[in-house]
Amino acid sequence: MTTPNPEAPVPTPATAKAPTGPTAADPAPTAPVRLGLRENWPQFTLLVLVNIAVGGLVGLERTTVPLIGTEVFGLTSDLAVFSFIIAFGLSKALTNLAAGALTARFRRRQLLLTGWLIGVPVPFALAWAPSWGWIVAANVLLGLSQGLTWSMTVNMKIDLVGPARRGLATGLNEAAGYTAVGATALLTGYLATSHGLRPVPELIGVVFVVAGLGLSLVVRDTAAHVALELSQHSKPVPGQEKTGLAATFARTSWRDRSLRGASQAGLVNNLNDGLTWGVFPLLFTDHGLGLAAVGLIKGLYPILWGIGQIPTGHLADRIGRKPLIVTGMLVQAGGFVLALALLDRPLLAGLLSAVALGLGTALVYPALMASVSDHAHPSWRANALGTYRFWRDLGYAAGALLAGLLADALGLNATVIAAAALTAASGLLAAHWITEPRPKRGAG
């Protein structure tokens, strides 16, 4: 059944109440709809908790799965080992792209719940997969699940807070998710040391699925907030401007200079994550580190990435997006240099590299999404964010593919050198392409 488009420009007064329709399953709010973090803190907090569960589910794989490939299933090709990351990245990227278009037909809450249902089999498949093909298939499901759940949590938070606090909203969203990624990577490394690579570390994912699905049943939809922002938006959509997925994809990918700059930076940023996801466990175990130490390195990176986005998201609202994006990409490039320069002391190399990569990514992540939101009209913002997140999460697949090809041909060190060069180049492109819009005032 087709649901009224929550992105359509509906004239809504400042105290509009949530529209009811044939699929508006969530209860109508009793208070007037307003934009702002303080005004919507209960729902915002629920969405933060949901994204903790979203991040925890993907964090299951950060420490153990590359080693499951080599030690349990006897894979000898690095490209074969990294195939699970390629599967995850491709399915998540395509789902991100579809998610923006799907919001024209379904409520955000419906898509959030669907994402959790798709993710139910993932921890069980990781724990008891009889072959590597099952692991790859589980990562297709994980990518589909993450594409819907993470997309909807960030879209719904942006809907709630309005234009004045987008940086803080995205920072809090990503902080919750990636802190959970890091904490789960640490926990799985510890559990793998005590109980083996499978099945105990993977089964903690059942807790995340149950918690995420249960909390998502309580969350209310944000269609009324989108309608309210549209009614207050000072710049109407030009009559000739197309707002569909195809037009928005072209605008976000290359036609709009700033959106192009954000999309390429997002792709390279997650290329780094995909590359380190596969390479770092193998690189540092090859240099004598155990599972607990590798788990510490793999956990520290996303924890700093996550927690750091709370101040950097706020900072992006204060000083602008571009300075944080450019600085963050260059800091990440430095992190790869540290990993190789200090490799004769592998624990120190891993920890310092994780610190630089985590802090650099914290600078970049909320600023990029806020920048895309700044340059996108509310009527096509969900599609713009979906396109940006398509390119960003395609970086997972690109990073794993690049890492596998270079590692098989030239060794693991060559992949780290390539990542450093690409990241520095991306930062310079962002400096050249991205512009800052005029400051906007609004509820917060």
Side-chain angles (χ1 to χ4, degrees), residues 8 21 23 27 29 58 85 93 108 177 222 238 247 389 394 432 438:
T23 59
V58 75
I85 307 172
R108 283 142 161 69
T222 56
R389 287 167 61 81
L394 194 63
H432 181 61
R438 292 180 180 179

Side-chain angles (χ1 to χ4, degrees), residues 244-318:
L245 177 59
T248 303
F249 184 88
R251 188 182 298 123
T252 307
S253 300
W254 63 82
R255 288 181 181 171
D256 184 288
R257 181 186 179 114
S258 290
L259 293 174
R260 180 203 318 153
S263 295
Q264 67 82 26
L267 186 148
V268 174
N269 182 87
N270 277 24
L271 180 148
N272 293 344
D273 191 23
L275 184 145
T276 61
W277 187 349
V279 168
F280 274 19
L282 303 182
L283 178 68
F284 290 115
T285 53
D286 284 350
H287 284 78
L289 296 186
L291 283 172
V294 171
L296 177 61
I297 294 167
K298 291 300 299 172
L300 184 61
Y301 171 17
I303 285 174
L304 291 174
W305 171 354
I307 294 174
Q309 288 179 86
I310 299 175
T312 61
H314 181 68
L315 192 61
D317 290 330
R318 296 292 182 181

Side-chain angles (χ1 to χ4, degrees), residues 333-362:
F336 286 115
V337 173
L338 287 171
L340 289 185
L342 301 172
L343 200 51
D344 57 336
R345 301 173 66 185
L347 182 58
L348 180 64
L351 292 176
L352 291 180
S353 177
V355 168
L357 287 166
L359 294 179
T361 308

